[in-house]
Amino acid sequence: MAVASLQHGALRAEQGFDPTEIAREYHLLRSTISANLRQDLLQGSPEELFRAMTLINAVVDAAIAQCFKSYVQERLQELEQLQSQLALTNQELTRLARANQDNLSILTHELKTPLNSIIGYSELFLRQQRQAQTRDTVPSLEHIERVLRNGRQLLRLINDALELSRCEAGRMPLQLVSTEVGSVIRSVVEVIQPLADARGLTLVVDYNLAPSQVVVDPLRLQQILINLASNAVRYTLTGNITIQARTLDQEKWEVAVIDTGIGIAPEEQTHIFDPFVQLRPPDSFSNSDSTGLGLAIVARLVKLMQGEIQLASQVGTGSTFTVILPIEVKEYQPSASVK
């Protein structure tokens, strides 16, 4: 049982379970064991019943300890990896700040909240360690979870900022290949479907009228559609998210992401593709994972692939983001320098 509990803890850490969810699993296990043995236990003497329950509790408690031991090890390993990633991006972040002074104050503000949380919970966790408190408790694990959650948000913001910087600096080469449109859309659906299901939204896909093959950078096209579709899910409480592609003529095709969400006010539509711009959603919406850079990156990637992006939206009805691209994106040819 010890080996199984260790494996269980590592698996739950990999699956992203919270410590409280694991604790509930073992509470259910304890209740199930007691229920299955109830008739046999009641036939024994009070002394036998007491010994049996003591043994059951000891076994389950030992399993919990082993599970949390491997769970904590996995989480600490993830935390170490996260710290390494943050350290590796620090140098490029410094270069970004120097090269883009206009957004420096905004970026600093956005980084401050998750960074302060990471520092605060890290100090708390280390203080508990120095005081020789038990690591394998639910509160301790929740502190680690908060550190990881805020660290992931910080890393996501940094990576988005670096991506935007590379786009604007023209240092993002395209890998243009003949690509099946349906294959890209299906890969997007694999990412978005769980998000839509979690909110009770219907995901509709229609690419029957799309060209079968186009020349694009498939990874960048996928990135564009995932950004648009995840945004649609984020700002839609009920209804549908539709991904629809079709051929326009011999030279162009389009793919649209349509939602039945909160919509975008006219005064916000003019700035929606600017960096660090975020809608103010109603209280019923959660937007804590947004960096405000997704649509800015989308707009620059579309431009990089010689396309255009259009927005049609009405407050309370929904939004449609339409990306129009060439059937064949051409390699960028820099003009020859004058000698």
Side-chain angles (χ1 to χ4, degrees):
M1 190 170 185
V3 174
S5 298
L6 287 171
Q7 294 174 342
H8 179 241
L11 177 62
R12 288 298 184 250
E14 182 180 340
Q15 293 172 334
F17 274 52
D18 289 331
T20 51
E21 293 177 301
I22 299 175
R24 282 196 295 268
E25 285 185 327
Y26 279 96
H27 176 74
L28 179 61
L29 174 63
R30 196 190 306 268
S31 300
T32 302
I33 293 173
S34 299
N36 288 334
L37 297 178
R38 184 174 184 274
Q39 293 299 326
D40 294 332
L41 293 174
L42 291 177
Q43 293 177 5
S45 65
E47 179 65 24
E48 290 172 334
L49 175 60
F50 176 77
R51 285 201 303 268
M53 292 306 301
T54 301
L55 178 60
I56 291 171
N57 288 332
V59 171
V60 175
D61 289 344
I64 293 173
Q66 292 297 314
C67 176
F68 277 159
K69 179 180 179 180
S70 60
Y71 182 91
V72 170
Q73 288 174 345
E74 289 291 327
R75 283 309 198 203
L76 288 176
Q77 184 177 356
E78 185 181 352
L79 181 59
E80 290 173 359
Q81 293 172 347
L82 186 62
Q83 289 174 332
S84 298
Q85 287 179 290
L86 289 171
L88 289 173
T89 55
N90 182 60
Q91 185 176 359
E92 194 170 356
L93 178 62
T94 302
R95 181 198 57 76
L96 167 65
R98 290 173 179 169
N100 195 355
Q101 292 295 325
D102 292 340
N103 286 323
L104 179 58
S105 60
I106 304 175
L107 181 60
T108 302
H109 175 75
E110 293 292 334
L111 292 175
K112 194 179 296 181
T113 300
L115 187 57
N116 284 340
S117 181
I118 290 171
I119 293 170
Y121 281 112
S122 295
E123 289 176 348
L124 175 61
F125 181 69
L126 292 174
R127 189 161 58 248
Q128 288 179 340
Q129 294 290 80
R130 285 194 293 269
Q131 293 172 355
Q133 296 182 7
T134 304
R135 289 192 315 179
D136 305 338
T137 62
V138 171
S140 294
L141 293 172
E142 288 176 344
H143 294 330
I144 298 175
E145 291 295 325
R146 291 188 182 98
V147 172
L148 289 171
R149 185 164 54 249
N150 284 281
R152 294 188 196 104
Q153 172 68 3
L154 177 60
L155 188 59
R156 184 162 50 246
L157 177 58
I158 291 173
N159 287 337
D160 282 354
L162 295 175
E163 183 95 332
L164 184 65
S165 175
R166 286 190 286 266
C167 285
E168 293 183 335
R171 291 196 297 270
M172 185 176 288
L174 295 176
Q175 305 297 323
L176 300 176
V177 295
S178 181
T179 303
E180 182 189 357
V181 172
S183 176
V184 174
I185 293 180
R186 287 192 296 272
S187 66
V188 172
V189 169
E190 289 179 1
V191 176
I192 299 301
Q193 187 71 65
L195 304 179
D197 291 343
R199 295 186 71 93
L201 303 174
T202 301
L203 184 58
V204 180
V205 179
D206 179 12
Y207 53 87
N208 292 330
L209 299 180
S212 58
Q213 296 283 330
V214 294
V215 176
V216 294
D217 184 326
L219 292 180
R220 295 305 176 188
L221 177 59
Q222 178 178 322
Q223 182 180 1
I224 289 169
L225 296 180
I226 288 176
N227 264 303
L228 293 177
S230 60
N231 249 20
V233 170
R234 184 178 294 119
Y235 291 104
T236 302
L237 188 59
T238 60
N240 306 324
I241 306 296
T242 302
I243 302 176
Q244 190 175 71
R246 65 188 181 100
T247 302
L248 294 179
D249 53 40
Q250 292 183 344
E251 296 183 351
K252 293 182 179 180
W253 70 290
E254 69 174 25
V255 56
V257 176
I258 309 162
D259 67 61
T260 56
I262 62 175
I264 304 170
E267 62 272 17
E268 292 181 311
Q269 292 182 26
T270 56
H271 304 290
I272 197 66
F273 296 109
D274 293 344
F276 301 105
V277 171
Q278 297 186 50
L279 296 180
R280 295 181 180 87
D283 294 337
S284 57
F285 287 78
S286 173
N287 196 29
S288 60
D289 61 342
S290 175
T291 63
L293 291 172
L295 289 179
I297 293 172
V298 164
R300 284 151 181 80
L301 288 176
V302 170
K303 183 178 179 181
L304 192 63
M305 290 203 290
Q306 299 135 40
E308 60 177 304
I309 185 167
Q310 300 174 350
L311 168 62
S313 184
Q314 185 174 346
V315 174
T317 301
S319 304
T320 299
F321 287 85
T322 304
V323 175
I324 302 173
L325 294 170
I327 296 288
E328 182 178 353
V329 177
K330 305 292 185 181
E331 287 281 358
Y332 173 68
Q333 299 293 338
S335 57
S337 59
V338 179
K339 295 183 179 180

